[in-house]
Amino acid sequence: MPERFYVTTPIYYVNAEPHIGHAYTTIVADVLNRFHKLLGDKTYFLTGTDEHGDKIVQAAQAADMEPKAYADRISQLFRDLWPKLNISNDHFIRTTDAEHVRVVQCILEQVHARGDIYFSTYKGLYCIGCERFYTERELIDGKCPDHDKKPVEREEANYFFRMSKYQQWLIEHIESHPEFIRPERYRNEVLSFLRENLEDLCISRPKERLSWGITLPFDDRYVTYVWFDALINYVTALGYPDGEAFHEFWPVAQHTIAKDILKPHGIYWPTMLRSAGLQPFRHLNVHGYWKINEGKMSKSRGSVIAPLDLVPVYGLDAFRYFILREMVFGLDANFSEDALIQRLNADLANDLGNLFSRSLAMTAKYFDGKVPAFGIDSEELDLAIKRQTEETVRQYQEEIPKLGFHKALMSIWECINNANKYIDYVGPWTLAKDEAQRPRLQTVIRNLLEVNKTVAVLIAPFMPETAEKMLARLGIAKTALELRLEKDGRWGTLQDGAAVSKGEALFPRVDTTVANQLKAKAMAEKANQEKQKESGTKLISFEDFKKIDLRTGIVRHAEPVPNSKKLLKLLVDIGEERQVVAGIAQTHTPEELIGKQVIIVANLQPAKLMGIESRGMVLAVGDGTDLRLLTTEQPVTPGRRVS
Ligand SMILES: [Zn+2]
């Protein structure tokens, strides 16, 4: 029976585009998944997007989109990114999936039935601008940090989860399972939270305030708080409650997260599971932050190149290697382009690249490009290289399950460096001059090829493309996911006489000119995309311009759009009455707009904004809080054509 392994990333919140933090967590989960496949385990790897809650509504409003359309767009950015980073996930879940909605409601019912949900009034400090409650601690000088305004006292009736009931159980569970939250610093952090009384968790939002969420099964006036909804994705994806995958994989679940979401994962989630009668996950793996050190990173038109933009410049495997080698899991690390180049040149081009090309070149030269059989005369050096390589395999298997990715890589590089030294000490070129030394030469070259093969197998979870390239040249036609450590990683398993091919360098040293050209290209593409987003500056013909029906109008009526900070609903007289929704609420009150002369695009296709039909568009300059309306020099009768 193969062992089971289940790893998740957080489901990423779709209020922002993917960045290096998302990429790191997902690549770590990918390495773990690929490592367990290498061991022959039966694995399941889940990622996805978290799509409910007020932040999504706000982000959607800022983009003038409906929440679902907005979530579709950002979710797609994540789904498009993962194949580019060679992520081997089995499933991509979205919290707007119908199946997930069903499971959240099912778990809410279970927790409710157990008596762990109660209805109560919450009194707190509420910022009207943010549409949310603040705790005293979050305020700056008693004011909302976003709006610089004092929040008002407000009472709201809501549903609460009796989290406090499970406080003692959670403390005991963490204490009796030292690996439950790891590394240890985060376990201690959670335990220190738990030293104070745990408050119950408000798990609902009234629909009058927020309707973008999963309706509570026992009160349809409310939607579910986004964390209570999101965390459940980890069991939804396994087909909870009856799915076979749930029984198979849930007992071995490991979640991988960044430290900013420690509290929901370390406290809310295990107590929710306990209340619903489910066993806790096995591990919560928590990593630190990437600090972006701009250093010499190229700046162009004021925008800094983001780490993910460097992937096409330096190659995916170099990027994956760098972030796993550079960050000690659990601690913060610096990302800099200079450090990436240094590792690429030193570790990849020099150490690994040279070992591989020297080994293949000597095989070509002395053995006609065929894997030699082991010779009979093995000396201590020859035995040592085998021992060291086997020791590396052992350390590697010990470190990765403990999240010691950098140590596993260090151990592989020690093996690479030993092999490079072995070449220098033995000097195969000298052996080649003496026919009597032929058996020894066979052993030495075969040993080198065996080291290269083992290295290729070991780096497969980190650098799958490079591993495949190396193995193909050693005469092994397998994909990274087909490799098995026990068989493919064992010493002596190359085929005697198999043809090897030298090929070009695995990692050419960084050529600054080429890199700068690639970077310029990446930046230009990015700038182009930005520009397209802001709608093109392409020239249009006079005929095209004439297609736009611009009319003068007078605002007859104006009112705010409920739940929107930006939008106003206007009735504009353009000879006929037009309903137009305009994103001008941050600069104009309804009162001051009435009677105002405006210019509108009268033949725009009707659109719905926040569910309200808009037939036309009011012309303005700027946006957000810096916006002016276009008008005419002197009053004009409504409905005149602008040309
Ligand atoms: Zn506010």
Side-chain angles (χ1 to χ4, degrees), residues 127 129-130 134 144 146-147:
C127 173
C130 295
Y134 274 90
C144 162
D146 285 348
H147 292 90

Side-chain angles (χ1 to χ4, degrees), residues 399-418:
E399 285 301 337
I400 295 184
K402 293 195 300 194
L403 313 171
F405 306 108
H406 70 295
K407 285 193 186 159
L409 288 170
M410 280 162 75
S411 158
I412 297 171
W413 255 256
E414 206 182 302
C415 176
I416 292 170
N417 293 332
N418 282 334

Side-chain angles (χ1 to χ4, degrees), residues 247-418:
H247 299 288
E248 223 178 349
F249 291 108
W250 183 248
V252 295
Q254 303 203 14
H255 303 309
T256 306
I257 62 166
K259 63 184 178 183
D260 57 333
I261 48 175
L262 175 60
K263 197 172 170 184
H265 282 84
I267 296 180
Y268 304 174
W269 183 224
T271 56
M272 285 165 64
L273 287 166
R274 181 76 178 167
S275 172
L278 277 75
Q279 70 184 91
F281 48 83
R282 183 172 284 179
H283 298 299
L284 178 62
N285 309 321
V286 190
H287 69 76
Y289 292 146
W290 280 100
K291 304 207 162 133
I292 310 300
N293 176 359
E294 282 166 20
K296 285 191 225 144
M297 271 201 195
S298 79
K299 282 188 185 183
S300 152
R301 288 178 217 116
S303 61
V304 176
I305 193 160
L308 283 178
D309 296 330
L310 295 175
V311 172
V313 177
Y314 299 108
L316 173 60
D317 278 1
F319 178 82
R320 288 177 59 118
Y321 172 75
F322 174 74
I323 58 175
L324 288 155
R325 175 64 184 77
E326 201 73 7
M327 181 175 261
V328 176
F329 193 90
L331 302 179
D332 293 348
N334 287 310
F335 188 100
S336 84
E337 188 180 358
D338 295 342
L340 170 62
I341 293 172
Q342 218 172 339
R343 287 235 175 258
L344 208 174
N345 282 339
D347 302 3
L348 300 178
N350 254 8
D351 301 346
L352 174 59
N354 280 347
L355 173 64
F356 193 57
S357 72
R358 289 209 281 175
S359 305
L360 293 180
M362 289 189 288
T363 312
K365 192 166 175 192
Y366 307 133
F367 296 100
D368 200 21
K370 305 235 160 49
V371 176
F374 289 106
I376 36 168
D377 291 339
S378 286
E379 296 190 8
E380 171 51 27
L381 272 178
D382 306 327
L383 297 170
I385 192 85
K386 175 178 185 236
R387 265 202 320 271
Q388 286 159 349
T389 306
E390 284 170 345
E391 171 59 15
T392 291
V393 176
R394 198 193 59 72
Q395 282 177 16
Y396 170 91
Q397 280 183 272
E398 193 179 290
E399 285 301 337
I400 295 184
K402 293 195 300 194
L403 313 171
F405 306 108
H406 70 295
K407 285 193 186 159
L409 288 170
M410 280 162 75
S411 158
I412 297 171
W413 255 256
E414 206 182 302
C415 176
I416 292 170
N417 293 332
N418 282 334

Side-chain angles (χ1 to χ4, degrees), residues 629-643:
L629 290 176
L630 258 63
T631 185
T632 54
E633 198 182 14
Q634 303 287 332
V636 184
T637 40
R640 297 256 323 252
R641 176 127 197 198
V642 179
S643 58

Side-chain angles (χ1 to χ4, degrees), residues 126-132 134 143-149 565:
Y126 185 85
C127 173
I128 295 165
C130 295
E131 298 171 26
R132 76 164 180 103
Y134 274 90
K143 290 176 183 169
C144 162
D146 285 348
H147 292 90
D148 197 33
K149 272 187 193 157
K565 276 189 273 181

